[in-house]
Amino acid sequence: QVQLVESGGKLVQAGDSLTISCAVSGHSFPSHTVAWFRQVQGKEREFVANIVWRSGSTYYADSVRDRFTISRDTTLNTVTLHMSSLTVEDTAVYSCAARQGSLQTSTKYYRYWGPGTQVTVSS
């Protein structure tokens, strides 16, 4: 069983940077991939980025590739998403999710989910 809890979401201005975190707990999660997804009300959940816990390999959605950075801290058991040059289009509830296995971008492959944290970017 893996538990995930996000934190750090808040209201920021367009152009600002923000880092959100996902606290990961539960046995065997070193064999997992942890991902960030985001969802705007009324729309489908969208893949943002993911990272393989053991190797640190990462993958990004094209829309954030040059602006967001995902990383993990194996001592603190956290996965962070550093977001820069934020735009109003980045406004969403950001959720972290975990799966046992390699990088996947579809929600259907992720078994464990956190409750999410709201990021709002104002113009």
Side-chain angles (χ1 to χ4, degrees):
Q1 192 77 0
V2 176
Q3 293 82 41
L4 306 155
V5 179
E6 305 90 341
S7 64
K10 65 179 182 179
L11 173 65
V12 297
Q13 298 289 319
D16 284 354
S17 296
L18 179 67
T19 298
I20 55 178
S21 296
C22 175
V24 185
S25 61
H27 73 88
S28 78
F29 66 79
S31 64
H32 284 67
T33 290
V34 179
W36 284 98
F37 290 84
R38 64 186 182 185
Q39 187 171 27
V40 177
Q41 190 171 6
K43 295 188 177 181
E44 291 188 358
R45 194 167 274 171
E46 174 190 22
F47 169 77
V48 176
N50 53 14
I51 187 165
V52 178
W53 188 268
R54 190 185 306 275
S55 68
S57 296
T58 60
Y59 184 75
Y60 297 89
D62 289 343
S63 59
V64 306
R65 189 179 306 277
D66 297 326
R67 300 184 297 122
F68 290 11
T69 302
I70 189 172
S71 61
R72 90 273 192 245
D73 187 317
T74 58
T75 300
L76 296 177
N77 293 340
T78 58
V79 175
T80 60
L81 185 69
H82 178 70
M83 305 178 287
S84 62
S85 301
L86 286 162
T87 72
V88 293
E89 287 74 29
D90 294 315
T91 296
V93 174
Y94 284 72
S95 300
C96 59
R99 68 178 300 272
Q100 190 165 8
S102 61
L103 299 171
Q104 294 286 350
T105 62
S106 173
T107 58
K108 67 180 181 181
Y109 292 107
Y110 289 83
R111 178 177 181 182
Y112 306 103
W113 290 84
T117 187
Q118 176 70 48
V119 173
T120 303
V121 184
S122 68
S123 57

